[in-house]
Amino acid sequence: MELKDYTGKLNSHADYLNILKHLKQKSKYIEYVLVDEDDTRIVDKFKDLVVSVQPKNKWWGTKSSKKSKVYKLTASRELFQYLQKFETFCKYTVSDKGDISENTDFGFNDIAFFDDKDLPLLFTTTHEGYIAVRNDLEDQVF
């Protein structure tokens, strides 16, 4: 399994919807990390899908000095329909003035999608604008 930097490649809603379509087909579960403890929209709406909650300071793509709650949710059609309402996870652009990370209506929380072998398909470090995707998923998307 090889992960590829996907930062800046989901800046448009169309690209975001396209990758969600593929993630929906392959995801067994999702990890959702409350980096912003006040933004509990997803875990509140899908509390019936929550398999576990663990405080961690390390999750895919991030190591933090502070522990955050990591929710493991069963992937479902309804959850993916809800995710489609967001513009995208985050935006990242490079310009002559420097790199710019822009948050969207998704918020600051990190998200990761896993297959039936517990391997990551895609994960974000949302507040920094970073996204990584597994190379075999990228080959199917583009």
Side-chain angles (χ1 to χ4, degrees), residues 30-40 43-44 50 52-59 64 66-73 108-112:
I30 295 165
E31 285 187 351
Y32 185 70
V33 184
L34 288 189
V35 176
D36 176 0
E37 295 175 2
D38 295 327
D39 183 4
T40 58
V43 292
D44 289 344
V50 174
S52 65
V53 182
Q54 295 180 332
K56 294 183 179 181
N57 67 344
K58 186 176 180 183
W59 54 90
S64 172
K66 177 186 153 216
K67 288 193 175 189
S68 295
K69 289 181 182 177
V70 178
Y71 287 82
K72 182 177 179 178
L73 296 101
F108 287 101
N109 293 331
D110 294 346
I111 193 166

Side-chain angles (χ1 to χ4, degrees), residues 96-119:
D96 51 349
K97 295 181 182 178
D99 298 356
I100 301 167
S101 172
E102 180 185 337
N103 288 347
T104 66
D105 55 349
F106 182 77
F108 287 101
N109 293 331
D110 294 346
I111 193 166
F113 300 83
F114 295 86
D115 67 12
D116 58 356
K117 295 180 179 81
D118 298 329
L119 296 173

